[in-house]
Every structure is written in structure tokens, then in C-alpha cells.
């Protein structure tokens, strides 16, 4: 579906020069001399690269239709993660390479959203905060009471994160999936 460049919005997915891109931000510019133009910051959804491009205001661009499917993680199969579509109960295998760093937050039963473009997986959306059990942590060093002192802890997915000194092994904590930081006790 073609849309006028003036009708774009942040978060919209478009096809520009054959690339599937997400509009991160845009700005309409009306210089004192010459025609108006639109400056767009685009993220290529296949490569992850971010570029800034300038377009005339009279062009049309192609809007890409993205299907978002809610899925639940079932199990790992080699280097693939197997998810079940919550509506059709169909199983979907996603290679670890597609998940990237987000794979460190995938645990049994977690519900995420997978974004598809014409059958191709282009990304996933994790919940903002997820509960994890601490499976291993070091003991706090006696006398170390500096402000915001932290120690390493391994969560059930195997990811290492920093937690406050008072957190001990076996506790359940909340972790932010945006930055991988401790977000409180569960």
C-alpha cells in the first residue's frame, strides 16, 4: 500500500529502496528557500543498521504490513527455540541468530510477540519485565556497604546480571528486558 510521505508516523514499517525499514523519527523541514523536505531516521529491520535519509514531500512510499503473533515458548531444539502460536496452536521454530541478545531472556512458558513480514520473522517483542529465579550468586563481602553496591547473579536462563547485595540464591527477581538490569524483587 502506497502512502504519501507526509502521512508517515513514528513506528511505521515501510519499504524504501527494497529494504524493510522502521521509521524511528522524522522531521518536516521547510527551509526559507527551496522546496520543503522530510528527514527520516530509519532502522533496517533485516540488518539492524540505522540511517538518516531525506525525501521530497511529493513522493509516495510503500507501507509494509507486519503481522504480530502472540506466542508462548515451549522448548529448545538444538540452536532453535520452539514457540506455540496462542491462537492456532501451530509450532514455530525460531533460530537463535534471529533472537540475538533477546535469547538470554527466553524461559519456559514466557509469552512474547513475533513480528512477521510475508512469512519472514523480522523481530520479537519481549514483556517489559520478567520474573527469574536466581540460580547462583556470590556472597556479599562483609563491610562493603557502598551506595548501590552490587554483585553478580546468574538467572535461570544462564544470563549474568548485577543485583543488590541483599539478594540471595533461590530468590525470584524482576529483570528489565530492555537493558538487562535488576528491577526489584518479585
Amino acid at each position: 500500500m502506497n502512502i504519501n510521505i507526509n502521512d508517515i508516523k513514528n513506528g511505521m514499517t515501510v519499504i524504501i529502496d527494497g529494504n524493510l525499514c522502521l521509521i524511528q523519527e522524522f522531521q518536516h523541514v521547510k527551509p526559507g528557500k527551496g522546496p520543503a523536505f522530510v528527514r527520516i531516521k530509519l532502522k533496517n529491520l533485516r540488518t539492524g543498521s540505522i540511517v538518516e535519509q531525506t525525501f521530497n514531500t511529493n513522493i509516495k512510499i510503500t507501507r509494509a504490513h507486519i503481522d504480530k503473533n502472540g506466542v508462548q515458548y515451549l522448548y529448545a531444539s538444538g540452536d532453535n527455540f520452539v514457540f506455540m502460536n496462542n491462537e492456532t496452536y501451530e509450532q514455530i521454530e525460531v533460530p537463535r541468530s534471529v533472537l540475538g541478545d533477546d535469547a538470554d531472556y527466553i524461559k519456559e512458558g514466557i509469552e512474547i510477540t513475533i513480528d512477521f513480514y510475508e512469512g519472514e520473522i523480522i523481530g520479537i517483542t519481549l514483556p517489559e519485565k520478567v520474573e527469574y529465579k536466581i540460580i547462583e550468586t556470590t556472597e556479599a563481602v562483609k563491610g562493603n556497604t557502598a551506595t548501590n553496591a552490587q554483585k553478580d547473579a546468574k538467572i535461570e536462563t544462564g544470563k549474568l546480571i548485577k543485583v543488590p547485595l541483599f539478594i540471595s540464591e533461590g530468590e525470584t527477581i524482576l529483570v528489565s528486558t530492555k537493558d538487562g538490569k535488576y528491577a526489584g524483587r518479585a
Side-chain angles (χ1 to χ4, degrees), residues 69-73 83-86 92 110-114:
N69 293 327
V71 297
Q72 182 178 20
Y73 175 66
F83 295 91
M84 179 183 66
N85 185 312
N86 292 339
I92 305 161
I110 192 171
E111 294 199 5
I112 67 169
T113 303
I114 297 182

Side-chain angles (χ1 to χ4, degrees), residues 16-168:
I16 293 179
D17 300 331
N19 294 317
L20 188 63
C21 299
L22 178 74
I23 296 173
Q24 290 192 314
E25 58 184 72
F26 67 93
Q27 180 180 18
H28 289 279
V29 180
K30 292 179 183 168
K33 285 185 175 178
F37 61 91
V38 179
R39 186 178 298 126
I40 307 174
K41 189 175 181 182
L42 300 162
K43 178 179 182 180
N44 185 316
L45 292 174
R46 291 192 177 105
T47 64
S49 63
I50 296 173
V51 294
E52 216 171 85
Q53 282 187 299
T54 304
F55 299 93
N56 289 333
T57 56
N58 60 352
I59 69 158
K60 292 197 177 295
I61 55 175
T62 305
R63 185 169 182 187
H65 179 71
I66 304 296
D67 291 317
K68 295 180 178 286
N69 293 327
V71 297
Q72 182 178 20
Y73 175 66
L74 298 176
Y75 59 91
S77 172
D79 262 357
N80 291 332
F81 287 73
V82 180
F83 295 91
M84 179 183 66
N85 185 312
N86 292 339
E87 291 175 16
T88 65
Y89 303 108
E90 168 191 356
Q91 289 191 3
I92 305 161
E93 285 197 24
V94 181
R96 183 180 192 88
S97 58
V98 171
L99 298 174
D101 292 340
D102 289 342
D104 292 339
Y105 299 105
I106 304 291
K107 71 174 194 165
E108 200 172 305
I110 192 171
E111 294 199 5
I112 67 169
T113 303
I114 297 182
D115 301 337
F116 290 93
Y117 174 68
E118 295 180 349
E120 173 191 2
I121 298 170
I122 56 164
I124 70 165
T125 307
L126 293 164
E128 203 172 303
K129 292 179 183 168
V130 181
E131 288 184 12
Y132 295 100
K133 190 175 185 128
I134 301 270
I135 57 169
E136 189 181 306
T137 186
T138 55
E139 288 302 313
V141 179
K142 203 171 194 151
N144 184 356
T145 55
T147 310
N148 295 333
Q150 295 190 320
K151 61 182 179 178
D152 288 333
K154 191 183 283 187
I155 58 175
E156 59 192 287
T157 63
K159 181 169 179 59
L160 212 59
I161 64 164
K162 295 278 188 194
V163 296
L165 299 176
F166 57 82
I167 298 294
S168 55

